[in-house]
Amino acid sequence: MLNFNYSIPTKIFFGKGQIEVLGKQIKEYSSKVLLTYGGGSIKRNGVYDDVVRVLKSEGIEFYELGGIDPNPRIDSVREGIKICREEGIDFILAVGGGSTIDCSKVIAAGYYYDGDPWDLVIDKAKIEKSLPIGAVLTLAATGSEMDSGAVITNMETKQKLGVGHPSMAPKFSILDPTYTFTVPKSQTAAGVADIMSHTFENYFTLNDGAYLQNRLAEAVLKTCINYGKLAIDKPENYEARANIMWASSLAINGLLSYGKKPVWSVHAMEHELSAHYDITHGVGLAILTPHWMEYVLDDERVDKFVEYGVNVWEIDKDKGKYAIAHEAIDKTKEFFISLGIPMSLREVGIGEENLEKMARAAIYHKGGTVGNFKPLIYEDVLEIYKAAL
Amino acid sequence: MLNFNYSIPTKIFFGKGQIEVLGKQIKEYSSKVLLTYGGGSIKRNGVYDDVVRVLKSEGIEFYELGGIDPNPRIDSVREGIKICREEGIDFILAVGGGSTIDCSKVIAAGYYYDGDPWDLVIDKAKIEKSLPIGAVLTLAATGSEMDSGAVITNMETKQKLGVGHPSMAPKFSILDPTYTFTVPKSQTAAGVADIMSHTFENYFTLNDGAYLQNRLAEAVLKTCINYGKLAIDKPENYEARANIMWASSLAINGLLSYGKKPVWSVHAMEHELSAHYDITHGVGLAILTPHWMEYVLDDERVDKFVEYGVNVWEIDKDKGKYAIAHEAIDKTKEFFISLGIPMSLREVGIGEENLEKMARAAIYHKGGTVGNFKPLIYEDVLEIYKAAL
């Protein structure tokens, strides 16, 4: 196990009705906030009304930035910063999923930066501090509600890049599973795939001695497998929504990576897909994952796949190593299919036209190689893209 | 899954050599500290020298309170408060295991209380705030390094009671697994039993819908089982010590209980044993646990034992429910035996003489019944004590 410094300062208010704490929590920081949200689903499902009711009852003044896109754009960040500066706002309340929260985090950091906020995404060392932010989560997927990272897309440069800073972690997040009851089946499925992918990225490392963390990762994976289909079939099943929601936070808040040194693979490859084609992130991850697994499977890594197959998929441990590994990968793919996720790039409108360009970009953005479970070079990434077509 | 408010503010500096952050961390709060420790093992194994070197190099003034007993006494708390008040100390640095940290927590709370600190143990509502504390952990067991609770013994009244307040949580804890290399075999074993017991107390609840938390608990249990014997046989095995150390913190920091409502059983029964006989807490827990399990096993609870047996002990799930349950209990007992723990009350000097008195006290201290997995009344507790003789 490697050395680590653990700090997860975000407070979580989990459960039905927790929106009632919102006013008191905000008031520890501010009484003038920027309310950020996405395409407007929160206005249809009542979450917006809940939030506004609480803000008004507590006398908290608020301005709005709606229309934040999935794969949130640097343009929205610029707009948010402008509003905060013009109106003297000193707290950001993100109501939505990872895109809204990510966008809000970079608004919060960009507020204190004189130049264009895209500079911060390119070079996080330029971030010194951020406005405090809070979140009301409406989609279980990215875990942004409990970590300090964000992913922002620049449509002009076709770049989708991650950025993070301790000051960007939400001060608090409200996780009410009933707020995810109206999430469409396809988004629920993509969210589950995203949670599992975060967990895979942290789990698939070599000989790290972090036994406990690996078992915790398996707990998160089993939770996704146990409840993923149920949440799709019975969207108002509280137990399913609650378990998936909490899994989304724990998958990426550090618990699974402290003491390990995972360098992510599939995310780096997927970011190029959604930067170039604006596809749903979780769908891109689900498509690439089984192909990445098959591609990196070899004698050095097979034991890790055996661990995965036996512990997560309960495959008979007396089968041969490679039989277990292949079966585990097949089961992973079958699970994503059972959630209704399209499982080829062509199905989501991606052909051969940009594969080389995207593979080059993935390598470039990661400084030469992608991942460290098995470091991938350009040809590897291209092969995985082709296999996933 | 029940509603919960998650807040684990303690920072953890985990790994070899992390003592070097000590000065900087303390200086965020103070430059005049009370250094607390136990029977002096830290002077023999070099930890005391490490701490003093860092304190001196940072110019931090310190006073000492050594000799804190296992099952720490209210007398030590009184003494610590007196020193802090006399010397104008405003930070407590606990260097040791759970006893030293627990004692320090109540010194920290008692500093701000005008009356006798035993009042606070009897009625935690009297606690308003506490001095900041930090910990350097030397024994993996109680998890006190990352929670806000403490257990204090009053030898005059033969009471051993728990108390807790958010302000009592350490600001930071340094967890260097090499600091546990010199822990004797018997203490290592008792520590592992304590960690497992905390996990059992959180795990054994009925139909809680907290699937994820239950899988996380199994991860902690598997870690104890995987490394417990190894840490005893090879005390300088870093991987074993590291995994057990981190398990000790996660077992009780809230991660396994958030979203559930466990009311602890075996701890309540054990506290009477160590209050009356001053035995090692973890040993008392290990002795009682299998008997408690057998006693509460019935048609309503057998499924939980099946879950435990199949998921933790990998017992064939096609066996009969009760066969799995009994086998899981047997394996639990065999595991404790493999660690060298005496497994009967008589072996640790407890006879029939006080069983009734202790059973009455357990019931009294818990307000009528013990635990909620299966609430136990006086006759139940007495039966379990007798079975464990």
Side-chain angles (χ1 to χ4, degrees):
Chain A
M1 194 184 298
L2 300 173
N3 283 12
F4 62 89
N5 296 348
Y6 176 105
S7 173
I8 304 181
T10 301
K11 290 181 183 175
I12 299 292
F13 298 92
F14 192 101
K16 191 174 178 180
Q18 288 276 26
I19 196 70
E20 303 306 329
V21 308
L22 180 64
K24 189 181 166 210
Q25 291 302 313
I26 291 176
K27 282 193 147 178
E28 291 198 11
Y29 303 95
S30 166
S31 56
K32 194 171 187 182
V33 311
L34 179 67
L35 171 60
T36 59
Y37 52 94
S41 63
I42 63 164
K43 292 197 173 167
R44 292 188 297 277
N45 63 19
V47 177
Y48 177 87
D49 292 340
D50 275 4
V51 169
V52 167
R53 173 180 55 76
V54 175
L55 294 178
K56 285 186 174 169
S57 76
E58 297 280 343
I60 295 168
E61 191 181 352
F62 63 97
Y63 294 78
E64 298 190 25
L65 174 67
I68 294 171
D69 298 295
N71 301 320
R73 317 293 162 83
I74 191 67
D75 301 334
S76 299
V77 173
R78 292 179 185 127
E79 196 179 339
I81 294 169
K82 187 161 170 281
I83 299 171
C84 288
R85 287 179 181 162
E86 284 176 0
E87 306 297 345
I89 289 166
D90 54 6
F91 188 91
I92 303 173
L93 177 64
V95 181
S99 299
T100 297
I101 303 172
D102 281 8
C103 182
S104 302
K105 286 175 174 174
V106 186
I107 294 171
Y111 178 86
Y112 286 111
Y113 178 71
D114 280 340
D116 184 73
W118 185 247
D119 298 349
L120 306 181
V121 181
I122 298 285
D123 179 13
K124 68 180 178 185
K126 291 195 163 79
I127 301 175
E128 288 179 6
K129 58 180 179 172
S130 306
L131 287 176
I133 82 168
V136 177
L137 189 65
T138 63
L139 179 67
T142 74
S144 188
E145 65 276 8
M146 205 176 178
D147 74 8
S148 58
V151 180
I152 300 293
T153 296
N154 187 326
M155 295 303 279
E156 292 165 35
T157 62
K158 298 262 185 220
Q159 285 175 299
K160 178 178 179 177
L161 299 176
V163 57
H165 190 267
S167 67
M168 284 162 48
K171 300 298 182 189
F172 65 86
S173 289
I174 294 172
L175 274 59
D176 182 340
T178 69
Y179 284 1
T180 65
F181 282 179
T182 57
V183 173
K185 291 180 194 301
S186 62
Q187 289 297 326
T188 300
V192 170
D194 197 18
I195 300 166
M196 290 178 73
S197 183
H198 295 153
T199 311
F200 289 143
E201 302 275 22
N202 288 324
Y203 180 70
F204 282 98
T205 58
L206 280 174
N207 310 317
D208 52 26
Y211 180 96
L212 174 53
Q213 290 86 331
N214 290 328
R215 301 294 82 73
L216 296 173
E218 289 161 1
V220 173
L221 291 170
K222 285 185 209 172
T223 300
C224 291
I225 292 163
N226 194 58
Y227 290 110
K229 184 96 171 55
L230 180 59
I232 289 167
D233 292 342
K234 303 201 167 167
E236 302 202 358
N237 183 298
Y238 186 86
E239 183 177 316
R241 294 292 196 179
N243 275 279
I244 291 172
M245 194 170 220
W246 191 219
S248 82
S249 301
L250 297 191
I252 198 175
N253 72 351
L255 190 69
L256 309 186
S257 58
Y258 282 126
K260 307 182 63 160
K261 192 141 188 90
V263 178
W264 292 20
S265 308
V266 178
H267 273 69
M269 293 189 284
E270 196 292 322
H271 282 178
E272 301 309 324
L273 304 184
S274 43
H276 284 75
Y277 293 91
D278 203 21
I279 65 168
T280 301
H281 176 56
V283 171
L285 294 169
I287 293 171
L288 292 177
T289 293
H291 297 288
W292 170 77
M293 287 179 166
E294 281 290 355
Y295 190 85
V296 301
L297 173 60
D298 59 17
D299 286 354
E300 201 181 337
R301 275 153 277 267
V302 65
D303 287 339
K304 188 72 195 185
F305 283 98
V306 171
E307 191 180 323
Y308 169 57
V310 171
N311 292 344
V312 174
W313 291 107
E314 298 175 13
I315 298 169
D316 181 353
K317 65 183 169 201
D318 295 328
K319 291 186 180 179
K321 283 185 179 185
Y322 277 91
I324 294 172
H326 290 299
E327 189 175 334
I329 297 170
D330 289 346
K331 281 181 179 288
T332 308
K333 187 170 185 174
E334 285 160 18
F335 176 71
F336 289 141
I337 291 171
S338 80
L339 300 185
I341 300 176
M343 286 302 288
S344 73
L345 293 180
R346 290 197 200 282
E347 285 176 77
V348 295
I350 300 176
E352 290 179 39
E353 61 282 359
N354 287 313
L355 298 188
E356 293 175 6
K357 189 174 167 187
M358 294 191 298
R360 270 195 301 274
I363 295 296
Y364 172 76
H365 286 135
K366 293 296 156 187
T369 55
V370 163
N372 68 348
F373 179 54
K374 178 168 184 169
L376 305 172
I377 59 172
Y378 167 77
E379 287 77 10
D380 299 320
V381 175
L382 187 60
E383 281 300 308
I384 292 168
Y385 282 154
K386 283 181 177 171
L389 268 176
Chain B
M1 195 185 296
L2 300 174
N3 283 11
F4 61 89
N5 296 348
Y6 175 106
S7 174
I8 304 181
T10 301
K11 290 182 183 174
I12 299 292
F13 298 92
F14 191 100
K16 193 176 174 177
Q18 289 275 27
I19 195 71
E20 302 306 328
V21 309
L22 179 64
K24 190 182 165 207
Q25 292 303 313
I26 290 175
K27 282 194 146 177
E28 292 196 11
Y29 303 94
S30 166
S31 56
K32 195 171 187 181
V33 312
L34 179 67
L35 170 60
T36 59
Y37 51 93
S41 64
I42 64 165
K43 292 197 174 168
R44 292 188 296 275
N45 63 18
V47 176
Y48 178 86
D49 291 339
D50 275 4
V51 168
V52 167
R53 173 180 56 77
V54 174
L55 293 178
K56 286 186 173 170
S57 76
E58 297 281 343
I60 295 167
E61 191 180 353
F62 63 94
Y63 294 77
E64 299 191 26
L65 174 68
I68 295 170
D69 298 295
N71 302 317
R73 317 292 161 83
I74 191 66
D75 301 332
S76 299
V77 172
R78 292 179 185 128
E79 195 179 339
I81 294 169
K82 186 161 170 280
I83 300 172
C84 288
R85 287 179 180 160
E86 284 175 1
E87 306 297 344
I89 289 166
D90 54 6
F91 188 92
I92 302 173
L93 177 64
V95 181
S99 299
T100 298
I101 304 173
D102 281 9
C103 181
S104 302
K105 286 174 173 174
V106 186
I107 294 171
Y111 177 85
Y112 288 111
Y113 178 71
D114 280 339
D116 184 74
W118 185 247
D119 297 351
L120 306 180
V121 180
I122 298 284
D123 179 11
K124 67 180 180 186
K126 291 195 162 80
I127 301 176
E128 289 179 6
K129 58 180 179 173
S130 305
L131 287 177
I133 83 167
V136 177
L137 189 65
T138 62
L139 178 68
T142 73
S144 188
E145 65 276 9
M146 204 178 180
D147 74 8
S148 58
V151 180
I152 300 293
T153 296
N154 187 326
M155 295 302 279
E156 291 165 37
T157 63
K158 298 261 184 221
Q159 284 176 299
K160 179 177 178 177
L161 298 175
V163 57
H165 189 268
S167 67
M168 282 163 47
K171 299 300 180 189
F172 65 86
S173 290
I174 294 172
L175 275 59
D176 182 339
T178 68
Y179 284 2
T180 64
F181 281 180
T182 56
V183 173
K185 291 180 195 298
S186 63
Q187 288 297 326
T188 300
V192 169
D194 196 18
I195 300 166
M196 290 179 73
S197 183
H198 296 153
T199 311
F200 290 142
E201 302 275 22
N202 288 323
Y203 180 70
F204 282 97
T205 58
L206 279 174
N207 311 314
D208 53 25
Y211 179 97
L212 174 53
Q213 289 87 330
N214 290 328
R215 301 293 83 72
L216 296 173
E218 289 161 1
V220 173
L221 292 170
K222 285 185 209 174
T223 300
C224 292
I225 293 163
N226 193 58
Y227 290 110
K229 184 97 170 58
L230 181 59
I232 288 167
D233 292 343
K234 302 200 168 169
E236 301 203 359
N237 184 300
Y238 186 87
E239 183 176 316
R241 293 293 195 179
N243 275 279
I244 291 171
M245 194 171 221
W246 192 218
S248 82
S249 302
L250 298 190
I252 198 175
N253 72 352
L255 191 69
L256 308 186
S257 58
Y258 282 127
K260 308 182 63 161
K261 194 141 186 90
V263 177
W264 293 19
S265 306
V266 178
H267 271 70
M269 292 188 286
E270 196 292 322
H271 282 179
E272 301 310 324
L273 304 185
S274 43
H276 285 74
Y277 294 90
D278 203 21
I279 64 169
T280 301
H281 176 54
V283 171
L285 294 169
I287 293 171
L288 293 177
T289 293
H291 296 288
W292 169 77
M293 288 179 167
E294 281 291 355
Y295 190 85
V296 301
L297 173 60
D298 60 18
D299 286 354
E300 201 181 338
R301 275 152 279 266
V302 66
D303 287 340
K304 187 70 195 185
F305 283 97
V306 171
E307 190 180 323
Y308 169 57
V310 171
N311 293 344
V312 174
W313 291 106
E314 298 175 15
I315 298 169
D316 182 352
K317 66 184 170 202
D318 295 328
K319 292 186 179 179
K321 282 185 180 185
Y322 277 91
I324 295 172
H326 289 301
E327 189 175 335
I329 297 169
D330 289 345
K331 281 181 179 286
T332 307
K333 186 169 186 175
E334 286 160 18
F335 176 72
F336 290 141
I337 290 170
S338 80
L339 300 185
I341 299 175
M343 288 301 287
S344 73
L345 293 180
R346 290 197 199 281
E347 285 176 77
V348 295
I350 300 176
E352 289 179 41
E353 61 281 359
N354 286 312
L355 297 187
E356 293 176 6
K357 188 175 167 189
M358 294 192 297
R360 271 194 301 274
I363 294 296
Y364 171 77
H365 286 135
K366 293 296 156 186
T369 55
V370 162
N372 67 349
F373 179 55
K374 177 167 182 169
L376 305 172
I377 58 172
Y378 166 76
E379 286 77 10
D380 299 320
V381 174
L382 186 60
E383 281 300 307
I384 292 168
Y385 283 153
K386 283 183 178 170
L389 269 177

